[in-house]
Amino acid sequence: FLAADFNEDGSVDGADLALWKTGFGASSGATHVMGDADANGRVDGVDYLTWQRQFGSHSAVSEVAAVGVPEPSAVLLGLIGLSILGPCRRKFT
């Protein structure tokens, strides 16, 4: 979990800074999406410092999602290759 990932997209970037700027000055009832990194109900300089420290960071979830699943075309090519090579096997007795 990245405290400064205000839009919760898995990375701390300029979009999160924009949310902090919009919420800056809220003195009570502020939420994480408004830019409250430390969950104290305020959007202030401490939250901005958290954003600065985490800027450029990515959560493990977003990195796994980026690497995760092979392309469907690769699976299809593999199946075609197996179907071609399958009949070519010789049986030795």
Side-chain angles (χ1 to χ4, degrees):
F1 172 75
L2 295 168
D5 181 16
F6 303 125
N7 62 1
E8 300 175 354
D9 68 349
S11 63
V12 178
D13 53 21
D16 300 301
L17 178 61
L19 288 173
W20 176 84
K21 285 180 180 180
T22 300
F24 180 68
S27 58
S28 66
T31 63
H32 183 249
V33 176
M34 293 171 64
D36 183 15
D38 56 5
N40 65 355
R42 297 187 308 262
V43 180
D44 53 21
V46 174
D47 304 309
Y48 176 71
L49 289 174
T50 302
W51 177 85
Q52 279 186 316
R53 290 183 184 122
Q54 294 183 357
F55 178 72
S57 298
H58 303 281
S59 70
V61 173
S62 69
E63 290 178 17
V64 168
V67 175
V69 181
E71 292 287 328
S73 59
V75 173
L76 180 62
L77 285 173
L79 289 173
I80 291 171
L82 287 174
S83 67
I84 291 171
L85 293 176
C88 295
R89 291 183 10 195
R90 291 184 181 173
K91 292 185 180 180
F92 295 99
T93 56

